[in-house]
Amino acid sequence: MAAGDVLPPSLAEGAGYLLARAGGRAISELNGALQDHGLRSRHYTVLVVAAEDGSRSQRDIGVLLGIDPSAVVSIVDDLARSGLVRRDPHPEDRRSRRIVATEAGHARLAELRSLAKATDDELLRNLSAAERRSLVGLLRRVAHD
């Protein structure tokens, strides 16, 4: 907001608005940090899941992250074209493919994690360590209720 701008009280005190505003800012800043790598925040989150839990299908990843299934297909296509993930046969379902990070994907993710942490640190720079822990705990409860 520009200096001197004042939100109407119903927005300034509205949890939904404040969560959306903070989330939008976080995504925008992370997208900016990832831009030089040709990625966006959604690529990063899917790559994290593929690297940390290579047992999930595209559909499962979409449900886990709250991303529309058609968007997940496009994100995985982008990551696969970049050599960061691959689609492996699912051992329990021949019709399904698991999304697995490649060696290059794991290496890239190691670089990207520091960018994501720096973005979080900048976003939360006015909070103490205890306030950050509290905020993250509260957000987990709200996001995954």
Side-chain angles (χ1 to χ4, degrees), residues 14-107:
Y17 169 78
L18 293 171
L19 285 166
R21 179 76 185 244
R25 184 173 161 216
I27 289 169
S28 177
E29 290 183 16
L30 183 57
N31 283 342
L34 296 172
Q35 185 175 359
D36 289 344
H37 294 271
L39 301 172
R40 299 185 57 79
S41 62
R42 286 184 166 192
H43 295 104
Y44 175 74
T45 57
V46 170
L47 183 57
V48 168
V49 172
E52 293 183 8
D53 181 1
S55 68
R56 293 182 187 267
S57 68
Q58 289 180 168
R59 182 189 159 295
D60 294 339
I61 290 172
V63 170
L64 177 70
L65 298 176
I67 301 174
D68 182 81
S70 63
V72 175
V73 171
S74 176
I75 293 164
V76 170
D77 286 347
D78 291 345
L79 292 169
R81 266 192 302 278
S82 298
L84 302 177
V85 300
R86 67 179 185 269
R87 292 174 170 98
D88 286 352
H90 196 288
E92 297 166 12
D93 183 355
R94 293 185 322 196
R95 298 167 294 160
S96 183
R97 299 276 181 194
R98 296 179 308 152
I99 307 306
V100 180
T102 62
E103 191 172 312
H106 283 281

